[in-house]
Amino acid sequence: DIQMTQSPSSLSASVGDRVTITCQASQDIINYLNWYQQKPGKAPKLLIYDASHLETGVPSRFRGSRSGTDFTFTINSLEPEDIATYYCQHYDNLLFTFGPGTKVDIK
Amino acid sequence: EVQLVQSGAEVKKPGKSLKISCKGSGYTFTNYWIGWVRQMPGKGLEWMGIIYPGDSNTRYSPSFQGQVTFSADKSIDTAYLQWSSLKAPDTAMYYCARLVSNSFGFDVWGQGTMVTVSS
């Protein structure tokens, strides 16, 4: 099975900072890699699908990209409402895997 | 509006059975797989499996195979997650979510059903 590692597990940043989260696959995978935001007490929300496509209605400060087996999620300018836990999610061979999550808060 | 609405919170004793629901609206329910996701208190998201309401075809995560059962009633656009004998570690929030087949992501989520198992 393909394993997904996500880093960092948490981070603190200032409003306006660029925030980067990485999800790494244990082997080469196709672009079935999605990113979610989960605010406290709420259901997850799909932000990025197919590694780099912005879901309809999601602010453009959110971005996803891929380099080899590394997938990167970026918030270009952190806003107070971006405080949340972010998860990557992968699909392969009838199995879905969520990364362990990255908790983002304001410094 | 496309939405999934889940049944309310449950408190059950160990050994009891339980069935929670997820009702879709605003789209053709039978055309999309529905996934179930567990979130234990203070923990991350765990994929449990998926069901296709059109024909009740199911795929279970190996971690949940034999522990839970998915079902669907397409006449009322509702999917179900059930346990035959609850255990304390089943205490968690359970989400249903609609699967998008081109990206294999979950684009619409229910609000979650909190299940508490305690004697």
Side-chain angles (χ1 to χ4, degrees), chain A residues 31-34 36 38 41-46 49-50 55 87 89-91 94-100, chain B residues 37 39 43-47 50 59-62 95 99-107 109-112:
Chain A
N31 272 356
Y32 294 141
L33 193 288
N34 308 297
Y36 299 83
Q38 186 179 31
K42 299 293 187 182
K45 176 185 176 182
L46 179 64
Y49 65 93
D50 273 355
E55 181 75 349
Y87 296 91
Q89 173 253 312
H90 173 248
Y91 167 81
L94 299 177
L95 292 176
F96 296 77
T97 307
F98 287 96
Chain B
V37 176
Q39 188 166 39
K43 302 299 183 182
L45 304 173
E46 299 175 87
W47 174 69
I50 52 175
R59 296 286 187 272
Y60 293 92
S61 160
Y95 294 101
L99 178 66
V100 181
S101 58
N102 58 349
S103 66
F104 293 100
F106 297 98
D107 69 336
W109 291 68
Q111 82 279 19

Side-chain angles (χ1 to χ4, degrees), chain B residues 7 10 18-22 36 79-81 83 94 113 115:
Chain B
S7 49
E10 301 274 1
L18 176 65
K19 192 174 190 177
I20 63 175
S21 66
C22 168
W36 288 96
Y80 302 96
L81 166 62
W83 296 260
Y94 292 88
T113 296
V115 174

